[in-house]
Amino acid sequence: MLGDIDHIEIEASDAEEMAEFLKSLGYEEHRETTHHGQSFELVPEEGDGPLFEIHTVEGEEVPGINHIAYAVDDIEAITEKLKEDENVDQVSDPYYVEHTGRTITNFRDPDGRRFQMVEDDE
């Protein structure tokens, strides 16, 4: 049986820029460390959720993550908030995915990685 997510490590081209992006989504800085040179750990301001560990890529590392999907109750309101935030790029309009019964909004972080907001319509 899987447990809760402990943390998600994101290798970013600019760790500070990525940390600011996550703060726009409601995360706060837990601590800054010298792990991987400079690393930021962020946790949700309210509620449960994973800790993100962010560091700047070095050497042969490359930035990369497919996406992380967040469940939301009001996809329209969240989408508008994302569109107004200058730290968030390429916000799509919400669209319904018949195969999953969900409405989703895709958006990108400063490095172009895809994230999603998901409202379950059932």
Side-chain angles (χ1 to χ4, degrees):
M1 197 84 175
L2 293 175
D4 292 338
I5 295 172
D6 177 70
H7 75 277
I8 298 170
E9 181 177 291
I10 298 176
E11 298 174 334
S13 62
D14 183 323
E16 289 182 82
E17 184 178 47
M18 186 65 194
E20 290 303 314
F21 169 77
L22 289 171
K23 289 175 185 176
S24 296
L25 299 181
Y27 279 76
E28 62 185 9
E29 190 168 315
H30 175 62
R31 66 181 158 186
E32 183 177 342
T33 71
T34 57
H35 184 59
H36 296 288
Q38 180 185 31
S39 182
F40 298 91
E41 292 183 359
L42 294 104
V43 295
E45 289 177 359
E46 297 179 19
D48 294 330
L51 176 142
F52 283 96
E53 179 184 339
I54 313 298
H55 72 271
T56 302
V57 296
E58 295 180 18
E60 294 181 15
E61 297 175 332
V62 295
I65 188 171
N66 185 353
H67 73 271
I68 299 169
Y70 295 91
V72 297
D73 292 330
D74 187 346
I75 194 84
E76 296 288 338
I78 294 294
T79 299
E80 288 309 309
K81 185 175 179 181
L82 290 170
K83 286 182 176 183
E84 293 170 2
D85 194 312
E86 64 186 37
N87 292 308
V88 182
D89 293 326
Q90 300 178 18
V91 180
S92 71
D93 288 328
Y95 61 94
Y96 181 72
V97 179
E98 188 174 344
H99 295 287
T100 64
R102 295 181 174 160
T103 300
I104 67 173
T105 293
N106 288 305
F107 56 100
R108 302 221 177 243
D109 72 15
D111 284 328
R113 286 179 289 266
R114 183 170 53 101
F115 284 72
Q116 287 181 347
M117 294 296 179
V118 179
E119 183 178 321
D120 193 341
D121 293 337
E122 294 179 9

